Every structure is written in C-alpha cells, then in structure tokens.
Amino acid sequence: MLKTLGKVALLVLAVLVAGAWLVVLRLKNVPLPLLVGYGLLLLGLVAGLLWPGRFTRARVLLFAGAPAALATLGIYFAVVFYISDTPVLIGLAAATALASAGAARLRAARRPAGAAKAGHSRRAVLLAGAGVALGAVSVVSAGQVERRRAALAEQGRGAREEALRAPGARRRVTDGAVRVFPIHTGDTIVTYGQFYGGLDGWEGGSGYLRTLLDKAEIAVPVYAYLIDHPRHGTMMVDSGVNWEQAHDHDGYYNHNAMVSRLLSQRDEYRMAPGQDLRVQVARLGYDIKDITTVFLTHVHDDHAGGLRHLPQAKVVMDRHDWDGGVLYPHSFDLVKDNLDFPRFDSGTYSSFAQSKDYFGDGSVMLLPTPGHSPGHLCVALRMDGGSALFIGDTLYTLPHLASGQVRQMTIGGEDTARQLDAARRIQAHLRAEPAAAPLFAHDNTPYQAGVVSSVLSSGLPGADGFQRMRRHMDTVLTPSYELRPGHAPSYIPAAAGAGAGRVEFR
C-alpha cells in the first residue's frame, strides 16, 4: 500500500513539473497540438516507469524515454536555446564524459586482469580524452559567444548612429516654456484579449491562463514622455524599453537567471534604430545625461527598460510598487541607489483624495492609482494653456476611458476594484478640468497617432492644442464616458504567416 501511494505521489509530482514545463513552452508560442502530443508522451514515460506491467523498464525507456528525450532536446533548441547556452551545454557534456571516465576507471580497478579490465581501461581513457577536449571547446566557445554578442551590439550601435544622422534633427528651444515630447520606444506584442478583453473574461488567473491558450496577438506602441521644465530641468515620465530588450532579449533577461528568460517571450518587443530612447532624445536637441528625474508610473519592464540609459537620474515611484510589483532587477541595476519614494501627503487634488505636490509649486502632481500594479501612479503636469495627465497603464488607450465598455485584463478581486476606482477618478478629473488632456503609454488609436503626435510635435501644445485633444475625445466619448458609434475595438487577424493581427475601430 505504501509503495503504491509513493508511486502515486511521484506521478503527481512529475505531472506538476511537466505541466510547468508545458506552460513555459506555451509562453514561447509552441503550437498547442504539439504540446498535447508531447505532454502525453511525457505522461506515458512516467506512468510506464512506475507501472511497467508486462513491459520492462528498459523497453519503456527505449520506446518512450528515447523519443521524449529527443523531443525535449528538439523543443529546447527550437524555442529556448540562446547563444550563451553553448559553452554551458558543452561544459555539461565535458563533465558527463569525465564522470563516465571515472566510473569506467573504477570498474576497471575492480576487475581481475583480462579482456574486461582492459576494455574498461580503454573506455576510461577515451572518455577522459573526450571530456578534456570538450572542456577546451567550452572555454574557446565562451570567447566566441562573447565576440558574437559584441559584434551584434556593434551593429546596433552603427544603426543608431545612422539614425542620429538622418535629416530632421532639432535644436533645443529654451524660451522658458514647459514642453512635453512623446517618445515612441518601439512596440510590444500582446494578446488582443489581454489588451481589450477585460469585460470578456480576461481577469485574474483565468485571464492569465487565456494568454497561454489564445494567441490572437497585436502590436501596440510603448510610449515614454520627455519633459523640459524651465525650473525643474529635463525629466521623463516612464522610460520605455531599451535596445537589448528588443534585439538581445534572451541575453537581457538572462541577467536575472534562466527562469526570467523562460517566462518572457523572445519576440515581445520590436524597436527600429530611430526609436531608441538615446536617439530620440538627442534628435530632439537634448543630452540624455541631463535628464535628472524619471517619474515611473510603475515598475513593469516596458516602462522601466530605458532606465539602463539614465544612471544619473533620480527615479520617483511609489514604494508599494518597488516592494510588491513585478520587478526585473537588471533594468534597475544602475538606478537602484537613486530611488525616491514620495509620501502622498499634499492633500486632495481634483478628484483624487491623496496627492503629492512633488516640487511644492503645483507644477507636478503625483496621484496614486493602484490596481494595475500595487503602487501605480499617474502624473499631472501643469503647462501653458492646460495640463497633461500621464495615465501610464491604468487605462491603455482613449477608448479605455469608457471603462464600462472597454477594459484591459485586470488582476482580479480588490486590485480590479482599485483600478476601476482609479479610472473613475481620472474620468472625474478630466470632466472637472476642461483644459486637461490624457496622455497614454500604449494608445494604438488615432488619438495618439494623429492628434497627440501632431499637437506635441513641438512639445508646446498651448491652449489650442489642449482643446484639439479634448475635441477629439468628444468625438470618441460621450460626456458620461461611453463610446460613440464607430469607436469600439475589433480584432482583425493577420494573413497566415504574417505575424500579429491589427485592431480596427467600428
């Protein structure tokens, strides 16, 4: 009885481990039918080893174990392998050969003189030679890998320098006005339901499960914002993604350990050379080294990746996010000793019960909007002619202001309630402040591409620019924040083999 219970426990443990592995592979976009077949093969192997029945375990290993091992190796090399794994894998092969050589040498020592002893001795010598040779290859390959990565980095540097020299660069204007520039730092690939399906069951654990099964994907922009303030210097709201995240993804996330690389998608970011944060800041006429402050709406990596380029900046964020958000340490390595966690002790601000007047002059107000992450915050910036409200990921796009009709995937439970409360406060603030305009981090609608990009092309919207943004809002949303006809998002699949789909508004 105890033996049977032990076998059942081993089977349950094996199923859990295999299930976690299959989830990782699904995150890597391995087709579902292939995963089902592979999972059944693994289950058959474990069950066969525990209860071989009329089969011997040797036959189970031959007919199920060998195919499972080959399938695992093939899948690993197809979807998980990264170039920096090469010396590690060769080193493991060297260690295996040397261990086998040691075992063969022990067996030879126990044998009496004769053909068997000589055979084991020869095997030990051959395995030891192979181990030494593989060890040498591992050492050499480590250098080759680093040289290849250096060459790829140099190619990226060349592409960025070419983008810097392209026509259209500007000079900084210093006339005492507050300026804001949207910086499109590339795109991220997300599931359509994750972006627009919060009212269709994409919530909490079931929502995350659906991201594994439903691969209807779209590309959405990742925006950061550069602020030129005559009194407080050059600042940013968020920092977008960086070049390595888009072009050396596995290497970037391998800084944190293999598990981070396994649990992120290799193709989740896209970035053209001209979208690099360093390039765009320079082409606007600014020196990235002069950015003194980054207001981070939250710690998620598509907002924090650009911190790698801002080691001199003070990063202002809510401590709840630092303590409990989803943090990728490598993005913060260069700024972790220069973090500022403000207290929201400046009283009410518009529709918000708490706020932080960061500079003490009302120019920059930090507003707690938890829900998307534990310490998410929004930033209100006073400008000539109006005020900009940087919304981060509380709401992804302008249509998301109609939170009763369009909603992104939410965490669930109290976090969803907090996020909806933050959305209502944003609505109330915009209703009370007719010269305030929302600025989003991922807006993939004509609001960002057409209106915001035009109004902020010089960084100086003025009263006319703020009114233009508000007029566009009025064409999309009613005063009670419901969608007008023609503005509901709809997923349009891509042609076979063409990659991500697109969104139309109908």
Side-chain angles (χ1 to χ4, degrees):
M1 181 66 177
L2 288 176
K3 187 176 181 180
T4 300
L5 288 175
K7 288 184 176 182
V8 170
L10 285 174
L11 178 62
V12 170
L13 179 62
V15 168
L16 291 175
V17 172
W21 173 235
L22 293 174
V23 166
V24 167
L25 296 179
R26 186 57 185 157
L27 282 169
K28 297 292 185 180
N29 286 332
V30 175
L32 198 57
L34 179 60
L35 283 184
V36 171
Y38 176 55
L40 291 174
L41 183 61
L42 294 177
L43 181 62
L45 170 62
V46 174
L49 290 175
L50 293 173
W51 293 281
R54 290 179 295 177
F55 295 95
T56 64
R57 286 189 171 87
R59 288 180 177 175
V60 171
L61 287 172
L62 177 63
F63 292 108
L70 290 173
T72 301
L73 198 62
I75 288 174
Y76 168 77
F77 278 104
V79 299
V80 179
F81 173 78
Y82 177 62
I83 183 174
S84 64
D85 296 345
T86 302
V88 176
L89 294 174
I90 298 174
L92 288 173
T96 301
L98 291 172
S100 300
R105 184 72 185 87
L106 287 175
R107 284 194 293 270
R110 293 174 184 157
R111 297 275 183 173
K117 183 180 183 73
H120 283 299
S121 295
R122 284 194 297 273
R123 189 175 300 122
V125 170
L126 290 172
L127 286 169
V132 170
L134 286 169
V137 172
S138 177
V139 172
V140 171
S141 69
Q144 293 287 347
V145 164
E146 289 307 311
R147 281 190 285 275
R148 181 179 175 188
R149 290 192 68 197
L152 289 173
E154 185 59 36
Q155 289 177 14
R157 220 167 2 252
R160 291 192 298 273
E161 288 176 358
E162 185 176 347
L164 274 171
R165 293 191 297 267
R170 308 179 187 182
R171 289 186 177 182
R172 179 180 179 181
V173 177
T174 54
D175 57 2
V178 180
R179 282 179 163 78
V180 172
F181 298 94
I183 297 182
H184 180 192
T185 66
D187 299 328
T188 181
I189 309 301
V190 299
T191 306
Y192 175 80
Q194 179 184 348
F195 203 74
Y196 282 113
L199 293 171
D200 297 322
W202 293 74
E203 181 178 338
S206 62
Y208 286 106
L209 179 61
R210 291 181 71 170
T211 66
L212 304 178
L213 303 175
D214 186 337
K215 291 300 178 181
E217 294 179 326
I218 57 174
V220 298
V222 179
Y223 280 95
Y225 292 87
L226 181 72
I227 301 171
D228 183 358
H229 201 285
R231 291 192 304 279
H232 305 306
T234 310
M235 305 178 287
M236 292 198 70
V237 175
D238 292 331
S239 64
V241 296
N242 64 48
W243 181 265
E244 285 182 285
Q245 287 172 282
H247 296 276
D248 188 19
H249 184 275
D250 287 356
Y252 186 81
Y253 289 101
N254 208 35
H255 284 288
N256 304 333
M258 176 70 78
V259 67
S260 292
R261 171 157 43 107
L262 289 175
L263 296 179
S264 57
Q265 286 186 246
R266 179 171 288 171
D267 60 350
E268 66 179 320
Y269 300 118
R270 300 174 181 173
M271 178 189 289
Q275 293 174 327
D276 186 278
L277 179 65
R278 295 163 292 183
V279 173
Q280 294 196 69
V281 169
R283 287 181 60 79
L284 288 170
Y286 296 84
D287 188 336
I288 199 166
K289 295 178 182 177
D290 291 337
I291 294 173
T292 57
T293 308
V294 177
F295 297 104
L296 202 65
T297 60
H298 61 298
V299 296
H300 292 172
D301 223 27
D302 54 328
H303 296 253
L307 296 178
R308 296 292 301 174
H309 307 315
L310 301 164
Q312 77 287 345
K314 175 167 53 176
V315 178
V316 182
M317 59 187 297
D318 190 325
R319 179 175 284 279
H320 292 92
D321 238 37
W322 180 256
D323 293 337
V326 180
L327 183 69
Y328 291 96
H330 186 57
S331 294
F332 289 86
D333 275 351
L334 301 180
V335 298
K336 62 185 177 183
D337 296 325
N338 200 21
L339 302 178
D340 183 19
F341 304 113
R343 296 176 60 188
F344 296 97
D345 55 6
S346 299
T348 60
Y349 175 79
S350 183
S351 55
F352 294 87
Q354 292 180 296
S355 68
K356 176 63 178 181
D357 183 352
Y358 189 74
F359 293 109
D361 58 3
S363 60
V364 174
M365 303 297 298
L366 307 183
L367 309 170
T369 51
H372 179 77
S373 65
H376 191 287
L377 60 81
C378 292
V379 181
L381 173 71
R382 190 172 63 200
M383 302 180 68
D384 292 338
S387 66
L389 182 65
F390 302 92
I391 290 179
D393 281 3
T394 295
L395 301 164
Y396 282 159
T397 72
L398 185 64
H400 281 85
L401 273 166
S403 55
Q405 296 169 281
V406 179
R407 192 178 300 171
Q408 66 235 52
M409 186 176 77
T410 55
I411 297 176
E414 291 184 0
D415 289 306
T416 296
R418 292 188 186 100
Q419 188 165 351
L420 292 177
D421 178 69
R424 285 190 288 270
R425 292 181 185 277
I426 290 169
Q427 292 171 348
H429 170 71
L430 294 173
R431 189 180 294 116
E433 299 288 341
L439 297 177
F440 301 91
H442 300 293
D443 193 289
N444 64 339
T445 77
Y447 176 68
Q448 184 81 32
V451 180
V452 172
S453 62
S454 174
V455 166
L456 295 181
S457 61
S458 66
L460 194 64
D464 289 344
F466 279 106
Q467 289 307 308
R468 183 178 167 192
M469 288 188 278
R470 291 301 297 251
R471 284 195 299 272
H472 184 90
M473 280 182 57
D474 291 340
T475 67
V476 176
L477 301 159
T478 68
S480 57
Y481 289 99
E482 295 178 348
L483 284 180
R484 296 187 188 276
H487 296 283
S490 178
Y491 175 69
I492 307 299
R502 71 181 194 278
V503 180
E504 289 186 355
F505 297 90
R506 301 171 175 174

